[in-house]
Amino acid sequence: MSMLMNRIKPNAFSIATAALLAIAIMLLSVPLAFAQPDLDVNTPSILVIKKSLSQRFAALTPHLDAGAVGLTADGLIAIRDASAASAVAATHTLVEKLVADDNQDRASLYREIARANGRADWENDIKTTFGERFINRAQSGWYYRDSAGKWIKKP
């Protein structure tokens, strides 16, 4: 049997080809596991959403300053104190509409960023990342709701 094995020599080319193929498969699968979304990507639809958010920010700022509205860990905003919202705005309904419109744009932004990255499945991670960014960049005195649901005033 050993004489037979000595006669059968593996083809060096096929072994090298198989090894290179295995390495290529490993290298191609690694970036997918560790890929990071481009959060600064811009498409025409993303630019429209960003413009809408930017225009609304001036109307939201007094409510953020008063503590009526706060940021959330999931990248949205929420009414924190309805009585403060009524004191700042002519009506509570106006604040509710601002919050609802802003959250709709935020959700659209996260969805579009995920799509622009070719990974719709990243939407929740993008949302969470933006939530962290917004909270980290929030002005002193603004409120944010952590992932446990607790409202915290930014020092």
Side-chain angles (χ1 to χ4, degrees):
M1 179 97 153
S2 64
M3 283 180 43
L4 181 60
M5 294 303 282
N6 286 339
R7 284 186 176 178
I8 303 173
K9 300 235 183 210
N11 181 332
F13 179 75
S14 63
I15 291 174
T17 302
L20 286 174
L21 182 59
I23 290 169
I25 290 170
M26 288 185 340
L27 290 175
L28 288 174
S29 63
V30 170
L32 294 177
F34 297 105
Q36 296 292 318
D38 177 1
L39 300 176
D40 298 317
V41 66
N42 281 312
T43 64
S45 58
I46 289 173
L47 292 172
V48 168
I49 297 165
K50 285 181 176 180
K51 183 177 180 182
S52 177
L53 285 163
S54 178
Q55 290 172 338
R56 191 177 306 104
F57 185 72
L60 279 169
T61 301
H63 307 294
L64 289 161
D65 291 343
V69 174
L71 305 168
T72 64
D74 64 353
L76 301 175
I77 60 174
I79 295 178
R80 187 194 73 82
D81 183 350
S83 62
S86 296
V88 175
T91 65
H92 180 71
T93 307
L94 172 65
V95 178
E96 286 177 332
K97 179 162 177 30
L98 283 170
V99 168
D101 290 348
D102 205 68
N103 283 339
Q104 183 176 359
D105 279 350
R106 287 171 184 252
S108 295
L109 176 66
Y110 308 144
R111 185 173 39 259
E112 289 301 317
I113 289 172
R115 283 183 188 160
N117 278 277
R119 294 294 305 263
D121 59 313
W122 286 353
E123 186 176 338
N124 284 333
D125 292 333
I126 290 169
K127 222 172 118 168
T128 302
T129 300
F130 270 91
E132 292 169 3
R133 277 185 171 188
F134 291 141
I135 290 169
N136 288 337
R137 295 176 182 172
Q139 293 181 18
S140 177
W142 286 8
Y143 283 85
Y144 65 93
R145 188 171 60 203
D146 65 15
S147 57
K150 180 181 175 189
W151 285 105
I152 300 165
K153 188 173 187 176
K154 180 110 185 226

